């Protein structure tokens, strides 16, 4: 019995060591995936319509000197096959390995209607990685990680850096397309009863463009900071308005906000929601919030991702956080929305409706 207990303890310690190594090098997976996106490997394989060899992949990678380090490439592919980003199979003649795409790598295609490639590039950019090195300082000193890394908050950084502003907006646009499709599918009948809607913090208008296409009767307004609206393209059925949600919000039957409130602390969220309250009809108005509803002990597909994004809020915002249902209820009630409803959708986020009555 004693020997068995020792063996179990030894295995538990060995397993613990393995888990630390895996977490320690978790960034390697993200960097390998980023390199595949930058090299357009998913697009190259996808364009062939079937698995292809390493030499075929290499021949289509754009290189300034025309030379590809296939030793480096094959090792990147080996890890990404292990992580099920790509498949690997032996050719019919047994001479080489053929690589194919999976349901994961389909989300990394640059030209797909729904793609996470811009988000991969944004989150793994050196500008976005720098604040992560300040997390322990935030614990000891307080303050904002992004300001510690860059000397200003993310919104000022974007306003003064056109290159980053584009990278950021591209990432937000790609996630908006993914989420709004799920929202429209789950919320369609309710959209049918709305005459006008403002997307607060709508970026360059992707979400409202999708709503306008699906429900042309809705008067859609895309509302964001002036430097964001300045880069927004024309969308049929969508009006762009620049402004500040902390000052006032254009009036409408409903206010739509996707991944906006998680950028702000509770006090700021209440301020924003109170401005939403002023912008909608007293009896029939509502806010439609699309955000993560944290389930710390949950086992759903996105439960762990929600906890990770909560730390992204520490790294990249000035007090933002992901919230549990109870935390959302508290904020809504403080802002004057006594009744709420949560609708789960096939996405990372859920729909949170807030009602005035």
């Amino acid at each position: 019995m004693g020997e068995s207990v020792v063996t179990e303890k030894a295995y538990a310690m060995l397993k613990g060591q393995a888990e630390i190594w895996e977490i320690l090098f978790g960034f390697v997976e993200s960097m390998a995936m980023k390199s595949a996106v930058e090299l357009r490997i998913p697009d190259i394989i996808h364009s062939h319509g079937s698995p292809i060899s390493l030499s075929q992949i290499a021949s289509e990678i754009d290189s300034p000197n025309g030379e590809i380090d296939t030793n480096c490439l094959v090792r990147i592919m080996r890890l990404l096959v292990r992580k099920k980003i790509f498949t690997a199979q032996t050719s019919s003649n047994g001479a080489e390995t053929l690589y194919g795409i999976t349901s994961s790598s389909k989300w990394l295609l640059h030209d797909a209607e729904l793609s996470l490639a811009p988000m991969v590039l944004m989150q793994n950019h050196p500008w976005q990685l720098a604040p992560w090195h300040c997390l322990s300082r935030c614990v000891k000193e307080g303050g904002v990680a992004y300001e510690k890394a860059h000397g200003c908050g993310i919104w000022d950084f974007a306003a003064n850096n056109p290159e980053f502003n584009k990278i950021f907006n591209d990432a937000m646009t790609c996630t908006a397309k993914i989420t709004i499709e799920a929202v429209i599918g789950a919320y369609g009948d309710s959209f049918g009863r709305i005459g006008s809607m403002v997307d607060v913090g709508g970026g360059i208008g992707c979400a409202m463009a999708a709503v306008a296409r699906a429900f042309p009767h809705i008067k859609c307004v895309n509302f964001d900071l002036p430097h964001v609206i300045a880069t927004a393209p024309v969308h049929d059925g969508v009006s762009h308005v620049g402004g500040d949600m902390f000052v006032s919000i254009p009036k409408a039957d409903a206010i739509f906000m996707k991944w906006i409130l998680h950028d702000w602390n509770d006090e700021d969220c209440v301020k924003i929601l109170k401005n939403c309250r002023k912008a909608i009809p007293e009896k029939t108005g509502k806010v439609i919030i699309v955000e993560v509803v944290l389930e710390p002990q949950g086992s759903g597909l996105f439960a762990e991702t929600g906890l990770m994004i909560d730390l992204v809020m520490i790294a990249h915002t000035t007090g933002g956080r992901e919230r549990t249902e109870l935390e959302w209820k508290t904020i809504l009630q403080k802002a004057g929305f006594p009744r709420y409803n949560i609708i789960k959708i096939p996405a990372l986020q859920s729909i949170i409706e807030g009602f005035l009555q």
Side-chain angles (χ1 to χ4, degrees):
M1 177 69 73
E3 184 177 345
S4 174
V5 171
V6 171
T7 301
E8 288 175 5
K9 286 183 178 179
Y11 178 76
M13 287 300 293
L14 185 63
K15 183 172 181 290
Q17 181 192 158
E19 289 168 350
I20 292 298
W21 280 114
E22 186 172 354
I23 295 172
L24 171 62
F25 287 113
F27 72 94
V28 176
E29 299 171 5
S30 190
M31 290 296 107
M33 183 170 65
K34 179 195 178 191
S35 70
V37 171
E38 290 175 326
L39 295 169
R40 292 183 172 262
I41 293 173
D43 301 86
I44 290 170
I45 298 173
H46 183 257
S47 68
H48 283 260
S50 61
I52 59 175
S53 67
L54 192 78
S55 60
Q56 287 176 298
I57 294 172
S59 69
E60 296 188 37
I61 292 176
D62 185 27
S63 170
N65 59 12
E67 296 181 6
I68 298 296
D69 186 337
T70 54
N71 175 58
C72 178
L73 178 60
V74 73
R75 290 154 71 183
I76 291 171
M77 294 300 289
R78 180 170 60 189
L79 175 63
L80 293 178
V81 166
R82 171 84 180 191
K83 301 307 297 184
K84 297 182 173 57
I85 302 297
F86 300 110
T87 62
Q89 63 190 66
T90 304
S91 62
S92 57
N93 61 10
E96 55 190 351
T97 299
L98 302 179
Y99 298 94
I101 62 172
T102 67
S103 55
S104 295
S105 46
K106 286 178 181 178
W107 287 100
L108 303 178
L109 298 170
H110 282 81
D111 299 325
E113 181 63 27
L114 300 179
S115 172
L116 281 169
M119 179 60 86
V120 170
L121 298 177
M122 189 270 280
Q123 291 293 351
N124 291 287
H125 193 286
W127 287 327
Q128 295 298 80
L129 293 175
W132 287 101
H133 295 281
C134 303
L135 280 189
S136 59
R137 286 180 58 195
C138 288
V139 172
K140 292 188 289 185
E141 305 167 3
V144 178
Y146 214 88
E147 291 177 358
K148 293 178 188 294
H150 295 297
C152 65
I154 190 169
W155 311 121
D156 288 336
F157 191 75
N160 296 314
N161 186 331
E163 182 182 353
F164 175 71
N165 189 49
K166 183 179 188 310
I167 291 170
F168 183 85
N169 285 338
D170 287 348
M172 294 302 100
T173 298
C174 85
T175 59
K177 287 181 179 178
I178 293 168
T179 305
I180 199 63
E181 181 173 276
V183 168
I184 289 173
Y187 201 70
D189 291 344
S190 296
F191 276 133
R193 296 189 290 271
I194 295 172
S196 60
M197 183 162 60
V198 174
D199 185 358
V200 174
I204 60 173
C206 172
M208 283 302 93
V211 171
R213 285 193 299 270
F215 305 97
H217 73 278
I218 299 178
K219 180 183 177 183
C220 293
V221 175
N222 179 56
F223 179 71
D224 212 311
L225 293 168
H227 77 268
V228 177
I229 294 300
T231 65
V234 174
H235 297 294
D236 290 341
V238 178
S239 300
H240 293 297
V241 177
D244 185 342
M245 62 188 174
F246 286 102
V247 177
S248 67
I249 291 169
K251 293 188 179 300
D253 295 334
I255 302 297
F256 182 85
M257 285 184 287
K258 180 194 71 66
W259 255 8
I260 300 301
L261 296 180
H262 77 159
D263 289 331
W264 303 96
N265 62 33
D266 290 358
E267 183 181 349
D268 285 334
C269 285
V270 171
K271 289 178 183 177
I272 295 166
L273 285 166
K274 283 184 176 179
N275 282 339
C276 292
R277 194 177 187 279
K278 295 175 185 176
I280 57 179
E282 184 66 35
K283 293 184 178 180
T284 59
K286 64 179 173 179
V287 290
I288 304 165
I289 302 165
V290 182
E291 292 277 4
V292 169
V293 178
L294 273 186
E295 297 180 64
Q297 307 304 319
S299 58
L301 284 176
F302 299 106
E304 189 168 328
T305 305
L307 297 176
M308 292 180 179
I309 295 177
D310 185 44
L311 294 193
V312 174
M313 296 300 100
I314 297 176
H316 290 170
T317 70
T318 56
R321 63 187 302 140
E322 302 301 338
R323 295 175 170 89
T324 63
E325 179 176 347
L326 179 59
E327 289 169 327
W328 283 118
K329 177 183 178 181
T330 300
I331 287 173
L332 285 163
Q333 289 183 339
K334 284 183 178 179
F337 292 89
R339 190 164 61 88
Y340 76 96
N341 180 42
I342 293 177
I343 303 170
K344 290 187 175 294
I345 61 176
L348 173 62
Q349 306 95 330
S350 297
I351 296 171
I352 308 165
E353 296 178 296
F355 304 96
L356 297 178
Q357 296 184 3

